[in-house]
Amino acid sequence: MSDLILIVDDSLTVRMDLADAFTAAGLRTAPCISIAEARAALARERVGLMILDVLLPDGHGVEFLAEIRALPAHALTPVLMLSSEADVKDRIRGLQTGATEYVGKPYDTGYVVARARELLRSNADEAPPEQVPTILVIEDSLTFREELSDALRQTGYAVIAASSGEEGLRLAADACPAAIMVDGVLPGIDGDTVIRSIRLDAALRDTPCVLLTGSEDRGGELRALDAGADAFVRKEESLDVVLARLAAVLRNTVTAHRGATASLLAPKKILAVDDSPTYLQELADVLRGEGYDAILACSGEEALEMLAVQAVDCILLDLMMPGIGGHETCRRIKTSAIGRDVPLIMLTAVEDRGTMIDGLAHGADDFIQKSSEFEVVKARVRAQIRRKQFEDEHRRVREELLRKELEASEARAAQQLAEVRASLVEELECKNRELEAFSYSVSHDLRAPLRAIDGFSQALEEDCGELLDDNGHYCLTQVRTSARRMNELIDDMLQLSQVGRAGLEREEIDLAAIAVRVVEQLRKAEPERDVAFEAPEHLAARADLRLMRIVFENLLGNAWKFTAKRTDAHVVFGAQADPRGLIYFVRDNGAGFDMDFADKLFRPFQRLHGEAEFSGTGIGLATVQRVIDRHGGRVWAEGKVDHGTTIYFTLATK
């Protein structure tokens, strides 16, 4: 990520003011007076952030922004527009054109620097590398501040320093240090107040704080600890003692979710809505004096337009305005997804309890009389932003807890599902073994009486054939034919049962050699058939030799059978490459089948051709599927009527 900030403004005062502020914050700058200089700077070096004025000597800033956004290299570069044209319509135009942020002049330098840091961090290309701990030193004595900072750097810490409590709080929000060392007596707010402010900030409250003091007051330690300090060190102690106390505090403090919540002291935007230009300007001056960026709108309509393109941290809304008015504006904001969680404070000159109740009923979070001092307004704004911060923090924690609970619930459900599935698989395997054993037993027991039927039928035909008429011969022939078919069916069922019960022994085998031997047997059985057969010379696989022999007997036997009516019968065995491994296939140019019935092919007793056309039991492909399943593969078929069939199968490598 580049940390170069390009400042494009024709005002020398603005360029120098921002350049000095960014340099003091450790950031590099490249000031430019015109769009032409900015183009040249963008061509020379990568830019991490651009500060862009609207009115420039050689063009309009918004038009230049559109030009930048059209360039792929700068489409995502954060752009902060800085202009005296702070009208709502100007802001909306800039933001819709692609500005990441829009700040009106006069601006607060501290706000611009802090916001620039946030934008640089959010635009980082990658997470920052692990860094040494950063220590924030808040000390008004230059001598002691430099002495302590040098000692910390020599110990291996990174150091940032502030000379007042107010400056220290801004740096704490900006840098999120690992620890804060703060003097008890400071100009402006004192050290105890600094620590209390840290503890009230959800983003910083876990930051260890060490209070330093040169006072001999014994009650100082109690006040420091009551304020929330983690340690109390007197300045007259040696620096070794100070460093040891700091190390102990860092060692014993656990910080969680650092950076997950925006600090109360981080840059905040306040939308002020009032139809009185005088009051609106006074309010804006007060807010900017507190370090806020004030966005000004003169009506409820302008406020709604602004919220559509710009997120804000708090809204100050006048009650009595022309147009839709304060109540209706409040209702619309609070019923929108963008504004419903934004704190809204209603302002009115009407001193009436009923008006206040009515305003709160319309969704306002607070209600202030305009006659109140601006100190009250500032305090209420801080309170509402603090309340919103704690609500966001609690919501984040709740969401994190719910997420963890959901993950734990999903893990338990997955475990229970796995246990149930394993139990069902085991039960199914047991039932399958029982069914296969029963099938084997029944099939085996049927063979003896079936052989008796066939044998006695043959004897009857041989011994008493001359006594039978034509009808008797026909009936006897049907008995013998049915007996032989039943015997084939029993043999196939026994084979299917044996395939499921037999052990699986993988070894290196040559599938091509198996296919060739099966075809040789088919040729011997039907020497009159002329079937062309193709196979590779060698095709190795790790599989069970006996079971793969059964696969080829069924696949090649089917191919041989279904090409019987062709004079140019052709059968091929081969393999084709696939990212997941080899896919083997047996292809023929025989009768084929209709793909609408492809899902039935591998079911037992399912036949797509009649018995009179092609004989068979419908068990062969079911047996093939059983063997392939046991090898961890899959089998499928493609075909077309009268254009042949291709059976594909895979084998797992282990």
Side-chain angles (χ1 to χ4, degrees), residues 272-285 288 296-299 318 321-322 370 374:
V273 190
D274 200 296
D275 61 332
S276 169
T278 303
Y279 183 79
L280 197 59
Q281 194 56 54
E282 291 179 2
L283 189 58
D285 292 340
R288 288 172 182 140
L296 309 182
C298 296
S299 66
D318 187 19
M321 293 185 300
K370 282 188 177 180
F374 280 120

PDB file of all heavy atoms in Angstrom, residues 272-285 288 296-299 318 321-322 370 374:
ATOM      1  N   ALA A 272     -26.485  18.413  10.327  1.00  0.00           N
ATOM      2  CA  ALA A 272     -27.308  19.422  10.984  1.00  0.00           C
ATOM      3  C   ALA A 272     -28.349  19.921   9.992  1.00  0.00           C
ATOM      4  O   ALA A 272     -28.012  20.357   8.891  1.00  0.00           O
ATOM      5  CB  ALA A 272     -26.434  20.572  11.476  1.00  0.00           C
ATOM      6  N   VAL A 273     -29.623  19.874  10.400  1.00  0.00           N
ATOM      7  CA  VAL A 273     -30.723  20.235   9.504  1.00  0.00           C
ATOM      8  C   VAL A 273     -31.536  21.354  10.156  1.00  0.00           C
ATOM      9  O   VAL A 273     -32.137  21.140  11.225  1.00  0.00           O
ATOM     10  CB  VAL A 273     -31.632  19.019   9.215  1.00  0.00           C
ATOM     11  CG1 VAL A 273     -32.619  19.345   8.098  1.00  0.00           C
ATOM     12  CG2 VAL A 273     -30.816  17.782   8.866  1.00  0.00           C
ATOM     13  N   ASP A 274     -31.558  22.526   9.522  1.00  0.00           N
ATOM     14  CA  ASP A 274     -32.296  23.666  10.067  1.00  0.00           C
ATOM     15  C   ASP A 274     -32.547  24.658   8.944  1.00  0.00           C
ATOM     16  O   ASP A 274     -31.673  24.879   8.095  1.00  0.00           O
ATOM     17  CB  ASP A 274     -31.502  24.325  11.205  1.00  0.00           C
ATOM     18  CG  ASP A 274     -32.394  25.159  12.109  1.00  0.00           C
ATOM     19  OD1 ASP A 274     -32.960  26.157  11.614  1.00  0.00           O
ATOM     20  OD2 ASP A 274     -32.515  24.819  13.304  1.00  0.00           O
ATOM     21  N   ASP A 275     -33.741  25.275   8.940  1.00  0.00           N
ATOM     22  CA  ASP A 275     -34.048  26.230   7.878  1.00  0.00           C
ATOM     23  C   ASP A 275     -33.520  27.632   8.175  1.00  0.00           C
ATOM     24  O   ASP A 275     -33.646  28.530   7.347  1.00  0.00           O
ATOM     25  CB  ASP A 275     -35.558  26.285   7.624  1.00  0.00           C
ATOM     26  CG  ASP A 275     -36.330  26.745   8.855  1.00  0.00           C
ATOM     27  OD1 ASP A 275     -35.842  26.504   9.976  1.00  0.00           O
ATOM     28  OD2 ASP A 275     -37.421  27.331   8.692  1.00  0.00           O
ATOM     29  N   SER A 276     -32.931  27.822   9.366  1.00  0.00           N
ATOM     30  CA  SER A 276     -32.352  29.122   9.724  1.00  0.00           C
ATOM     31  C   SER A 276     -30.860  29.119   9.391  1.00  0.00           C
ATOM     32  O   SER A 276     -30.075  28.449  10.071  1.00  0.00           O
ATOM     33  CB  SER A 276     -32.550  29.397  11.216  1.00  0.00           C
ATOM     34  OG  SER A 276     -31.786  30.523  11.614  1.00  0.00           O
ATOM     35  N   PRO A 277     -30.430  29.836   8.361  1.00  0.00           N
ATOM     36  CA  PRO A 277     -29.005  29.856   8.003  1.00  0.00           C
ATOM     37  C   PRO A 277     -28.126  30.351   9.140  1.00  0.00           C
ATOM     38  O   PRO A 277     -27.013  29.852   9.333  1.00  0.00           O
ATOM     39  CB  PRO A 277     -28.948  30.805   6.804  1.00  0.00           C
ATOM     40  CG  PRO A 277     -30.337  30.812   6.255  1.00  0.00           C
ATOM     41  CD  PRO A 277     -31.238  30.652   7.435  1.00  0.00           C
ATOM     42  N   THR A 278     -28.608  31.316   9.928  1.00  0.00           N
ATOM     43  CA  THR A 278     -27.816  31.875  11.028  1.00  0.00           C
ATOM     44  C   THR A 278     -27.554  30.823  12.094  1.00  0.00           C
ATOM     45  O   THR A 278     -26.412  30.589  12.504  1.00  0.00           O
ATOM     46  CB  THR A 278     -28.553  33.077  11.648  1.00  0.00           C
ATOM     47  OG1 THR A 278     -28.807  34.047  10.640  1.00  0.00           O
ATOM     48  CG2 THR A 278     -27.713  33.693  12.756  1.00  0.00           C
ATOM     49  N   TYR A 279     -28.630  30.166  12.559  1.00  0.00           N
ATOM     50  CA  TYR A 279     -28.470  29.153  13.599  1.00  0.00           C
ATOM     51  C   TYR A 279     -27.655  27.967  13.074  1.00  0.00           C
ATOM     52  O   TYR A 279     -26.826  27.400  13.784  1.00  0.00           O
ATOM     53  CB  TYR A 279     -29.839  28.671  14.080  1.00  0.00           C
ATOM     54  CG  TYR A 279     -29.761  27.678  15.211  1.00  0.00           C
ATOM     55  CD1 TYR A 279     -29.536  28.103  16.520  1.00  0.00           C
ATOM     56  CD2 TYR A 279     -29.888  26.311  14.980  1.00  0.00           C
ATOM     57  CE1 TYR A 279     -29.443  27.188  17.562  1.00  0.00           C
ATOM     58  CE2 TYR A 279     -29.804  25.392  16.006  1.00  0.00           C
ATOM     59  CZ  TYR A 279     -29.576  25.840  17.298  1.00  0.00           C
ATOM     60  OH  TYR A 279     -29.470  24.937  18.325  1.00  0.00           O
ATOM     61  N   LEU A 280     -27.892  27.618  11.815  1.00  0.00           N
ATOM     62  CA  LEU A 280     -27.178  26.482  11.223  1.00  0.00           C
ATOM     63  C   LEU A 280     -25.676  26.751  11.181  1.00  0.00           C
ATOM     64  O   LEU A 280     -24.868  25.859  11.479  1.00  0.00           O
ATOM     65  CB  LEU A 280     -27.716  26.220   9.819  1.00  0.00           C
ATOM     66  CG  LEU A 280     -27.402  24.861   9.176  1.00  0.00           C
ATOM     67  CD1 LEU A 280     -27.940  23.728  10.027  1.00  0.00           C
ATOM     68  CD2 LEU A 280     -27.994  24.780   7.776  1.00  0.00           C
ATOM     69  N   GLN A 281     -25.284  27.965  10.861  1.00  0.00           N
ATOM     70  CA  GLN A 281     -23.865  28.304  10.797  1.00  0.00           C
ATOM     71  C   GLN A 281     -23.248  28.316  12.188  1.00  0.00           C
ATOM     72  O   GLN A 281     -22.121  27.859  12.382  1.00  0.00           O
ATOM     73  CB  GLN A 281     -23.669  29.661  10.109  1.00  0.00           C
ATOM     74  CG  GLN A 281     -22.231  29.935   9.707  1.00  0.00           C
ATOM     75  CD  GLN A 281     -21.664  28.842   8.813  1.00  0.00           C
ATOM     76  OE1 GLN A 281     -22.248  28.506   7.784  1.00  0.00           O
ATOM     77  NE2 GLN A 281     -20.532  28.269   9.202  1.00  0.00           N
ATOM     78  N   GLU A 282     -23.985  28.857  13.177  1.00  0.00           N
ATOM     79  CA  GLU A 282     -23.487  28.839  14.560  1.00  0.00           C
ATOM     80  C   GLU A 282     -23.282  27.397  15.024  1.00  0.00           C
ATOM     81  O   GLU A 282     -22.273  27.071  15.666  1.00  0.00           O
ATOM     82  CB  GLU A 282     -24.471  29.560  15.472  1.00  0.00           C
ATOM     83  CG  GLU A 282     -24.558  31.066  15.270  1.00  0.00           C
ATOM     84  CD  GLU A 282     -25.585  31.698  16.197  1.00  0.00           C
ATOM     85  OE1 GLU A 282     -26.182  30.949  17.011  1.00  0.00           O
ATOM     86  OE2 GLU A 282     -25.782  32.917  16.112  1.00  0.00           O
ATOM     87  N   LEU A 283     -24.257  26.566  14.719  1.00  0.00           N
ATOM     88  CA  LEU A 283     -24.169  25.156  15.113  1.00  0.00           C
ATOM     89  C   LEU A 283     -22.981  24.479  14.438  1.00  0.00           C
ATOM     90  O   LEU A 283     -22.241  23.699  15.063  1.00  0.00           O
ATOM     91  CB  LEU A 283     -25.473  24.452  14.743  1.00  0.00           C
ATOM     92  CG  LEU A 283     -25.691  23.021  15.258  1.00  0.00           C
ATOM     93  CD1 LEU A 283     -25.614  22.976  16.773  1.00  0.00           C
ATOM     94  CD2 LEU A 283     -27.040  22.495  14.780  1.00  0.00           C
ATOM     95  N   ALA A 284     -22.766  24.805  13.153  1.00  0.00           N
ATOM     96  CA  ALA A 284     -21.646  24.207  12.424  1.00  0.00           C
ATOM     97  C   ALA A 284     -20.315  24.617  13.042  1.00  0.00           C
ATOM     98  O   ALA A 284     -19.396  23.792  13.174  1.00  0.00           O
ATOM     99  CB  ALA A 284     -21.701  24.619  10.956  1.00  0.00           C
ATOM    100  N   ASP A 285     -20.179  25.881  13.436  1.00  0.00           N
ATOM    101  CA  ASP A 285     -18.937  26.351  14.049  1.00  0.00           C
ATOM    102  C   ASP A 285     -18.664  25.613  15.351  1.00  0.00           C
ATOM    103  O   ASP A 285     -17.514  25.245  15.647  1.00  0.00           O
ATOM    104  CB  ASP A 285     -19.015  27.861  14.298  1.00  0.00           C
ATOM    105  CG  ASP A 285     -19.037  28.658  12.999  1.00  0.00           C
ATOM    106  OD1 ASP A 285     -18.621  28.102  11.965  1.00  0.00           O
ATOM    107  OD2 ASP A 285     -19.483  29.828  13.029  1.00  0.00           O
ATOM    108  N   ARG A 288     -17.608  21.926  14.499  1.00  0.00           N
ATOM    109  CA  ARG A 288     -16.253  21.863  13.961  1.00  0.00           C
ATOM    110  C   ARG A 288     -15.225  22.147  15.043  1.00  0.00           C
ATOM    111  O   ARG A 288     -14.117  21.600  15.021  1.00  0.00           O
ATOM    112  CB  ARG A 288     -16.110  22.841  12.801  1.00  0.00           C
ATOM    113  CG  ARG A 288     -16.857  22.395  11.542  1.00  0.00           C
ATOM    114  CD  ARG A 288     -16.868  23.441  10.462  1.00  0.00           C
ATOM    115  NE  ARG A 288     -17.633  22.997   9.297  1.00  0.00           N
ATOM    116  CZ  ARG A 288     -18.443  23.768   8.602  1.00  0.00           C
ATOM    117  NH1 ARG A 288     -18.604  25.051   8.929  1.00  0.00           N
ATOM    118  NH2 ARG A 288     -19.094  23.274   7.561  1.00  0.00           N
ATOM    119  N   LEU A 296     -24.295  20.398   6.427  1.00  0.00           N
ATOM    120  CA  LEU A 296     -25.424  21.301   6.645  1.00  0.00           C
ATOM    121  C   LEU A 296     -26.500  21.096   5.597  1.00  0.00           C
ATOM    122  O   LEU A 296     -26.218  21.035   4.394  1.00  0.00           O
ATOM    123  CB  LEU A 296     -24.937  22.753   6.627  1.00  0.00           C
ATOM    124  CG  LEU A 296     -23.743  23.082   7.543  1.00  0.00           C
ATOM    125  CD1 LEU A 296     -23.411  24.557   7.459  1.00  0.00           C
ATOM    126  CD2 LEU A 296     -24.021  22.657   8.974  1.00  0.00           C
ATOM    127  N   ALA A 297     -27.752  20.990   6.046  1.00  0.00           N
ATOM    128  CA  ALA A 297     -28.904  20.875   5.157  1.00  0.00           C
ATOM    129  C   ALA A 297     -29.969  21.856   5.617  1.00  0.00           C
ATOM    130  O   ALA A 297     -30.183  22.029   6.826  1.00  0.00           O
ATOM    131  CB  ALA A 297     -29.453  19.449   5.165  1.00  0.00           C
ATOM    132  N   CYS A 298     -30.639  22.488   4.679  1.00  0.00           N
ATOM    133  CA  CYS A 298     -31.616  23.532   5.003  1.00  0.00           C
ATOM    134  C   CYS A 298     -33.050  23.015   5.048  1.00  0.00           C
ATOM    135  O   CYS A 298     -33.966  23.790   5.337  1.00  0.00           O
ATOM    136  CB  CYS A 298     -31.512  24.670   3.987  1.00  0.00           C
ATOM    137  SG  CYS A 298     -29.919  25.519   4.021  1.00  0.00           S
ATOM    138  N   SER A 299     -33.262  21.733   4.764  1.00  0.00           N
ATOM    139  CA  SER A 299     -34.626  21.197   4.781  1.00  0.00           C
ATOM    140  C   SER A 299     -34.587  19.688   4.979  1.00  0.00           C
ATOM    141  O   SER A 299     -33.535  19.048   4.820  1.00  0.00           O
ATOM    142  CB  SER A 299     -35.341  21.516   3.463  1.00  0.00           C
ATOM    143  OG  SER A 299     -34.731  20.821   2.386  1.00  0.00           O
ATOM    144  N   ASP A 318     -34.024  20.122  13.110  1.00  0.00           N
ATOM    145  CA  ASP A 318     -34.966  21.150  13.556  1.00  0.00           C
ATOM    146  C   ASP A 318     -36.388  20.613  13.466  1.00  0.00           C
ATOM    147  O   ASP A 318     -36.726  19.857  12.552  1.00  0.00           O
ATOM    148  CB  ASP A 318     -34.798  22.399  12.679  1.00  0.00           C
ATOM    149  CG  ASP A 318     -35.628  23.574  13.195  1.00  0.00           C
ATOM    150  OD1 ASP A 318     -36.018  23.547  14.380  1.00  0.00           O
ATOM    151  OD2 ASP A 318     -35.882  24.491  12.405  1.00  0.00           O
ATOM    152  N   MET A 321     -39.898  23.253  10.228  1.00  0.00           N
ATOM    153  CA  MET A 321     -39.277  23.584   8.948  1.00  0.00           C
ATOM    154  C   MET A 321     -40.333  23.552   7.855  1.00  0.00           C
ATOM    155  O   MET A 321     -41.319  22.815   7.959  1.00  0.00           O
ATOM    156  CB  MET A 321     -38.168  22.571   8.597  1.00  0.00           C
ATOM    157  CG  MET A 321     -36.960  22.594   9.491  1.00  0.00           C
ATOM    158  SD  MET A 321     -35.664  21.468   8.890  1.00  0.00           S
ATOM    159  CE  MET A 321     -36.517  19.893   8.926  1.00  0.00           C
ATOM    160  N   PRO A 322     -40.134  24.337   6.812  1.00  0.00           N
ATOM    161  CA  PRO A 322     -41.054  24.235   5.668  1.00  0.00           C
ATOM    162  C   PRO A 322     -40.855  22.898   4.951  1.00  0.00           C
ATOM    163  O   PRO A 322     -39.846  22.225   5.137  1.00  0.00           O
ATOM    164  CB  PRO A 322     -40.633  25.415   4.783  1.00  0.00           C
ATOM    165  CG  PRO A 322     -39.208  25.670   5.135  1.00  0.00           C
ATOM    166  CD  PRO A 322     -39.087  25.356   6.591  1.00  0.00           C
ATOM    167  N   LYS A 370     -33.749  24.876  21.777  1.00  0.00           N
ATOM    168  CA  LYS A 370     -32.752  25.727  21.144  1.00  0.00           C
ATOM    169  C   LYS A 370     -32.241  26.813  22.080  1.00  0.00           C
ATOM    170  O   LYS A 370     -31.158  27.369  21.871  1.00  0.00           O
ATOM    171  CB  LYS A 370     -33.328  26.372  19.876  1.00  0.00           C
ATOM    172  CG  LYS A 370     -33.377  25.450  18.675  1.00  0.00           C
ATOM    173  CD  LYS A 370     -33.772  26.226  17.428  1.00  0.00           C
ATOM    174  CE  LYS A 370     -33.752  25.342  16.201  1.00  0.00           C
ATOM    175  NZ  LYS A 370     -34.127  26.068  14.972  1.00  0.00           N
ATOM    176  N   PHE A 374     -24.948  25.912  23.847  1.00  0.00           N
ATOM    177  CA  PHE A 374     -24.347  24.948  22.932  1.00  0.00           C
ATOM    178  C   PHE A 374     -23.555  23.875  23.676  1.00  0.00           C
ATOM    179  O   PHE A 374     -23.296  22.809  23.122  1.00  0.00           O
ATOM    180  CB  PHE A 374     -23.462  25.661  21.913  1.00  0.00           C
ATOM    181  CG  PHE A 374     -24.239  26.286  20.782  1.00  0.00           C
ATOM    182  CD1 PHE A 374     -24.178  27.648  20.542  1.00  0.00           C
ATOM    183  CD2 PHE A 374     -25.043  25.510  19.968  1.00  0.00           C
ATOM    184  CE1 PHE A 374     -24.889  28.218  19.505  1.00  0.00           C
ATOM    185  CE2 PHE A 374     -25.760  26.065  18.923  1.00  0.00           C
ATOM    186  CZ  PHE A 374     -25.693  27.429  18.691  1.00  0.00           C
TER     187      PHE A 374
END
